[in-house]
Amino acid sequence: CKNGTTEEHGLLENVRCIALGGKMDTQLKMNETVRMVWLRIFLKVLSIGFLTAFIPWITLILLNAPILAPGGSLAPLLRFQPYNAPYESMMTAIHIVWAVMLWRASDDPAQHSLFIDFTIWGNAAHGLVMLIATPLQKGLVMTLIEGVPLFAIAAVLAWLRPKRSAVRPAIYPKT
């Protein structure tokens, strides 16, 4: 991304360039060592966030706690209707495994770039679905609370993700 152009870069690199206003070669560019430090921290924080959000949520649902039970005060905000505890349990299981894998990937992000890309696109796609589904059931305020953070996660990871040159050894051809 030199002089504001995005020639010969991958899609995520172009998104990073555009998000920074074409200033990749100026003061906003991080060296790869600093990028990896911040990426490791962000992956661990995201992992802890997934665990902190999903474990208590599903525990309260499975225990049929009055606050999240159908008719409970927070049920309309924190659950989609019709209520479906088996589906919510499955989503929780996926996010717990995802959190564990994020933690493991944080040890060497450059070796887990495909998983980081999956996390970027998974959060972006989930955010898009939430921008459509949430207003219909919960209103605009909950759309901002539930959908926007998913895009923020995707954007931060896209900005911090390892550059392709740091991931692909020189012996592999450029694709």
Side-chain angles (χ1 to χ4, degrees), residues 1-9 14 17-18 21-24:
C1 180
K2 295 179 182 175
N3 302 322
T5 65
T6 59
E7 298 171 5
E8 299 181 22
H9 293 285
N14 288 340
C17 174
I18 292 165
K23 297 179 179 163
M24 287 296 290

Side-chain angles (χ1 to χ4, degrees), residues 66-161:
I67 197 165
L68 285 180
S73 57
L74 291 180
L77 298 176
L78 298 177
R79 298 178 74 183
F80 273 89
Q81 291 80 29
Y83 301 123
N84 186 338
Y87 170 77
E88 293 162 332
S89 298
M90 178 197 64
M91 292 304 296
T92 299
I94 290 169
H95 279 84
I96 289 172
V97 171
W98 200 346
V100 170
M101 295 299 114
L102 283 168
W103 189 274
R104 291 182 64 190
S106 72
D107 289 338
D108 189 0
Q111 294 301 313
H112 300 282
S113 62
L114 182 62
F115 182 68
I116 293 168
D117 288 348
F118 170 81
T119 301
I120 292 167
W121 290 106
N123 278 281
H126 188 179
L128 181 61
V129 169
M130 294 303 282
L131 287 179
I132 296 166
T134 305
L136 300 174
Q137 282 198 358
K138 300 179 183 182
L140 186 59
V141 172
M142 286 309 292
T143 300
L144 296 174
I145 292 170
E146 292 180 350
V148 173
L150 297 167
F151 288 113
I153 290 167
V156 170
L157 283 174
W159 184 51
L160 292 174
R161 76 174 298 287

Side-chain angles (χ1 to χ4, degrees), residues 49-73:
F50 278 4
L51 294 172
T52 303
F54 281 95
I55 291 174
W57 178 71
I58 198 62
T59 302
L60 291 173
I61 289 170
L62 293 177
L63 292 175
N64 208 22
I67 197 165
L68 285 180
S73 57

Side-chain angles (χ1 to χ4, degrees), residues 29-43:
K29 184 175 180 181
M30 284 192 267
N31 70 40
E32 209 53 28
T33 303
V34 173
R35 181 185 315 282
M36 289 303 102
V37 168
W38 281 107
L39 180 56
R40 284 183 187 104
I41 292 168
F42 188 76
L43 291 172

